[in-house]
Amino acid sequence: KCILHYIRKQSLRAFTTLAGRHVVFARRMIDDESFLPCPPSPSLDINVTILNDGKIEDHDPDGLTWQADFANEMIGGGVLSSGCLQEEIRFSISPELLVSLLLAEKLEDGETLLMEGSERFSAYEGYASSFRFCGDWEEERRKRNRRDENKKEREERDEEETRKEGGRSNEQGKATVTAMDATFFGRREFARQFSWASIERELI
């Protein structure tokens, strides 16, 4: 349903609008000699905000930050078959990311795939076997942003934006997604993810 919704949504847009859009795919790789020689200094001043609830893509509705794709070494994972975890869901709600399946080979430890300019089209709920399509993302986004507005004013604005939707692209929500091969740690290997070698791999 997510992919069919994407096709329907794009079919309603003007050709000139679609022709002016660009999604950039770039592979980034470093060799072993470029790795950090030792752990970074604890005195480094880095501003980090940690959010312990919600979804990655929901915290960045305007495409202002980089989003992580904890990827399979084969980009996209099982998005076109039976998979429905973080990566597969991210590709389903932004089908433009599917182009990367044609461009990217197996991701190595020191490699990431940078995907810039994709648009989110679908709202959803659930995860894995409970995942389901919940309609258009722009409509869901408007609902969230206007919960406290006057009902009549909200309905009039929604009607006007829906009328204009056929001729424009969503200028907001163009995400930058960085895909990296996620390392699997079983229950018996839980502590290994905190070793310097594992941390270095993720940071680089």
Side-chain angles (χ1 to χ4, degrees), residues 125-191:
E125 65 180 18
Y127 189 80
S129 61
S130 65
F131 172 83
R132 74 181 187 91
F133 170 74
C134 290
D136 182 66
W137 168 240
E138 274 300 291
E139 293 180 5
E140 176 64 23
R141 184 181 177 191
R142 289 199 292 262
K143 290 178 183 178
R144 295 183 185 186
N145 291 342
R146 297 172 188 166
R147 283 172 182 168
D148 298 328
E149 291 184 2
N150 178 273
K151 182 178 180 180
K152 183 177 180 181
E153 179 183 353
R154 182 173 66 248
E155 289 177 348
E156 291 175 350
R157 189 177 302 180
D158 281 349
E159 184 177 321
E160 177 65 14
E161 290 197 14
T162 299
R163 184 183 64 79
K164 293 180 179 179
E165 183 65 26
R168 67 175 175 86
S169 174
N170 175 21
E171 290 306 316
Q172 293 181 313
K174 301 297 195 316
T176 298
V177 180
T178 302
M180 64 195 84
D181 178 24
T183 301
F184 174 75
F185 295 99
R187 292 183 178 181
R188 296 182 179 180
E189 299 179 299
F190 180 79

Side-chain angles (χ1 to χ4, degrees), residues 44-140:
L44 286 177
D45 184 14
I46 301 175
N47 185 21
V48 177
T49 299
I50 298 176
L51 303 173
N52 62 3
D53 62 348
K55 306 165 185 173
I56 293 175
E57 60 272 12
D58 287 353
H59 286 300
D60 184 31
D62 298 321
L64 300 178
T65 61
W66 278 2
Q67 299 178 19
D69 168 21
F70 301 103
N72 187 288
E73 61 184 6
M74 301 305 296
I75 195 72
V79 64
L80 297 180
S81 54
S82 59
C84 204
L85 301 180
Q86 189 259 351
E87 180 176 31
E88 289 86 356
I89 291 174
R90 192 66 189 82
F91 278 50
S92 295
I93 63 176
S94 300
E96 292 162 327
L97 297 177
L98 292 172
V99 175
S100 65
L101 275 65
L102 299 173
L103 304 177
E105 300 175 1
K106 176 181 175 181
L107 293 176
E108 303 296 339
D109 280 351
E111 182 180 22
T112 62
L113 179 65
L114 186 68
M115 300 172 281
E116 183 176 3
S118 65
E119 181 179 341
R120 179 176 176 180
F121 290 83
S122 299
Y124 75 94
E125 65 180 18
Y127 189 80
S129 61
S130 65
F131 172 83
R132 74 181 187 91
F133 170 74
C134 290
D136 182 66
W137 168 240
E138 274 300 291
E139 293 180 5
E140 176 64 23

